[in-house]
Amino acid sequence: MDLSHPLSVQMPLWPGDPPPEFEGWATIARDGYYLRRFSLSEHAGTHLTAPASFYPDGRTVDQYAPKELVKPAVVIDIRQQCQANPDYALTPDDVAAWESRYGPVPANSIALLLTGWAERWNNPAAYLGTDPVGVLHFPGFGPGAAALLLNERGVAGFGTDTAGVEPGADATFSVSRLALSQPRIILENLANLHQLPPTGALIVIGLLRLEDGSGSPAAVTALVRRKNE
């Protein structure tokens, strides 16, 4: 199952990021083959954020080993809470409620936050929720829940179907900094999380091996065993 959005010039952009550019370079009629050149932010679309984004000595995206990019995943569904509050932050109580149904969050898994925001992907204004003074409004992991998942459950990282793992109004990037200081995985702008089961999925993260990269657009695939298998 594909968990990535297509990269396009219409996709939502983090404020201040360079816009994507696609330029025709070769055509079948003229050159015998079709080719374009493109320019993207390292954090465009569905992407992985590397520790170097916030820490001068942090790991860059070309330094991830393949085994680090294949992980089991759990999905924490907070769509109901987010309908009432676009700034909703996952709490330790939410984690406890999830665990009461599905058991402890497994160590070395990636905790994926299902907010429903992927449905807004084709409406960048609604997806980012930018208000008149420039503050973003979308849900994410709260610092208490993030600390619990990292320090007590030993998760491999976080993923979300919004533009950031912490709520948009958190201009300090608190959860990103906390996770990447360890360091752990951060995946943002994921798609199709509603199609995954709460437990049992395996995700595979495909990266561009950008030398010294702060992150990379990612092709994220989920492998889910069918019930009759």
Side-chain angles (χ1 to χ4, degrees):
M1 187 176 303
D2 188 3
L3 303 185
S4 302
H5 292 286
L7 297 168
S8 73
V9 296
Q10 293 86 21
M11 65 186 176
L13 297 177
W14 191 267
D17 278 6
E21 297 179 358
F22 296 88
E23 178 186 358
W25 195 260
T27 66
I28 294 174
R30 186 187 66 201
D31 306 289
Y33 60 93
Y34 173 55
L35 176 69
R36 295 186 301 171
R37 65 185 298 274
F38 64 89
S39 173
L40 294 171
S41 161
E42 292 178 329
H43 296 221
T46 304
H47 67 275
L48 177 143
T49 299
S53 296
F54 295 104
Y55 299 103
D57 298 326
R59 187 196 307 196
T60 53
V61 76
D62 53 313
Q63 296 174 327
Y64 283 83
K67 66 180 181 181
E68 297 177 273
L69 301 174
V70 181
K71 295 290 183 182
V74 301
V75 179
I76 302 175
D77 186 348
I78 58 168
R79 286 177 290 182
Q80 184 174 352
Q81 296 94 314
C82 297
Q83 286 178 358
N85 180 8
D87 297 310
Y88 191 81
L90 183 76
T91 69
D93 286 344
D94 292 323
V95 177
W98 187 95
E99 292 185 324
S100 71
R101 296 186 63 185
Y102 306 110
V105 174
N108 200 40
S109 63
I110 295 182
L112 303 177
L113 195 62
L114 171 56
T115 71
W117 246 242
E119 298 177 6
R120 307 179 181 212
W121 180 254
N122 293 321
N123 184 342
Y127 187 77
L128 295 171
T130 310
D131 68 20
V133 297
V135 176
L136 306 183
H137 295 278
F138 54 77
F141 290 86
L148 184 156
L149 290 166
L150 290 169
N151 301 328
E152 299 183 31
R153 301 297 183 266
V155 298
F158 301 131
T160 181
D161 57 4
T162 70
V165 289
E166 55 279 298
D170 182 354
T172 68
F173 303 103
S174 61
V175 173
S176 295
R177 291 180 183 275
L178 177 64
L180 295 173
S181 69
Q182 305 226 1
R184 309 291 173 93
I185 294 284
I186 293 289
L187 295 169
E188 295 167 331
N189 296 327
L190 292 167
N192 297 321
L193 295 185
H194 66 288
Q195 297 186 34
L196 298 184
T199 65
L202 184 72
I203 63 171
V204 182
I205 306 166
L207 299 176
L208 298 175
R209 292 289 183 181
L210 302 173
E211 186 173 2
D212 298 328
S214 69
S216 168
V220 184
T221 301
L223 305 178
V224 181
R225 184 181 296 273
R226 296 177 182 174
K227 291 182 180 181
N228 59 352
E229 292 182 343

